[in-house]
Each structure stands twice: as structure tokens, then as C-alpha cells.
């Protein structure tokens, strides 16, 4: 299992209608690309003030490495970038393979 994490600073002119369209595009990836198992969308609400202007997080769960490779070159990913890309001021992308979940 692979987690694909996006930390996003949106352009100041992007608004709630834009965010709604982008959210829908991401949510539909589970149906449009084989191996995309889930997508989460969240807005920073940390009281620590350490987000450095990054306001949104998108977390995608991909079934495995083959799914990640499919997703990265899939035309549906390109379609997503067409909707999402114009609104990005800055982005950080981090992937990691989920080896084990840690519990207390």
C-alpha cells in the first residue's frame, strides 16, 4: 500500500467553488483509475501555526507500486492536473510505502 500525500498552497484567487471542483476530481479517481483505493481531502486547522502557508492536504491511498505507476501516467491523472494545476501556488508531494501501522 502506498500513501500519496499532497500539501497545497492555493493561489489567492482560488475560491470555494474551485475547491469543490478540485475535490470532486480527486474523489472520482477511485472510480477512474484502477488501484486508487481512497482519497481524503482536508483543510489545515492546526493551532501550531507551522503549516508555512500550506492550507490543504490530499491523501491518496494506492493499492501497490503497480497502481502508483499506472496512476502517474494515466490520462485521468492528466485530466485531474488540468483542473487542479492552475490553482496551485506551491505544492509538496510525498509518497511512502505503508509497511506497518503503529499503535500505542
Amino acid at each position: 500500500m502506498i500513501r500519496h500525500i499532497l500539501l497545497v498552497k492555493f493561489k489567492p484567487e482560488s475560491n470555494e467553488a474551485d475547491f469543490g471542483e478540485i475535490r470532486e476530481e480527486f474523489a472520482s479517481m477511485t472510480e477512474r483509475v484502477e488501484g486508487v483505493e481512497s482519497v481524503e481531502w482536508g483543510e489545515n486547522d492546526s493551532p501550531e501555526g507551522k503549516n508555512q502557508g500550506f492550507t490543504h492536504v490530499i491523501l491518496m491511498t494506492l493499492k501497490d507500486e503497480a497502481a502508483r505507476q499506472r496512476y502517474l501516467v494515466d490520462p485521468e491523472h492528466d485530466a485531474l492536473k488540468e483542473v487542479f494545476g492552475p490553482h496551485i501556488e506551491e505544492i509538496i508531494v510525498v509518497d511512502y510505502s505503508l509497511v506497518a501501522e503503529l499503535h500505542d
Side-chain angles (χ1 to χ4, degrees):
M1 184 177 302
I2 295 175
R3 302 280 200 222
H4 180 66
I5 302 169
L6 312 174
L7 302 176
V8 185
K9 283 184 193 178
F10 283 104
K11 292 181 179 176
E13 60 270 17
S14 297
N15 58 47
E16 287 302 319
D18 298 322
F19 299 155
E21 181 181 13
I22 295 164
R23 243 186 340 262
E24 290 301 315
E25 284 292 314
F26 271 101
S28 70
M29 288 295 112
T30 59
E31 297 171 3
R32 294 164 52 191
V33 180
E34 181 187 349
V36 176
E37 295 186 342
S38 67
V39 179
E40 296 177 29
W41 169 284
E43 190 168 343
N44 178 56
D45 64 4
S46 172
E48 294 179 287
K50 297 184 184 244
N51 59 305
Q52 299 179 23
F54 290 88
T55 58
H56 291 75
V57 176
I58 300 149
L59 170 64
M60 300 179 80
T61 300
L62 301 153
K63 181 178 180 180
D64 53 23
E65 180 60 27
R68 175 170 53 183
Q69 293 306 317
R70 266 193 312 276
Y71 171 71
L72 292 175
V73 299
D74 195 293
E76 296 296 344
H77 183 227
D78 292 334
L80 170 66
K81 290 190 291 189
E82 285 182 27
V83 173
F84 183 42
H87 297 284
I88 298 170
E89 182 171 309
E90 196 170 345
I91 190 167
I92 295 172
V93 180
V94 177
D95 289 1
Y96 67 93
S97 295
L98 185 61
V99 178
E101 292 187 35
L102 305 177
H103 299 280
D104 292 336

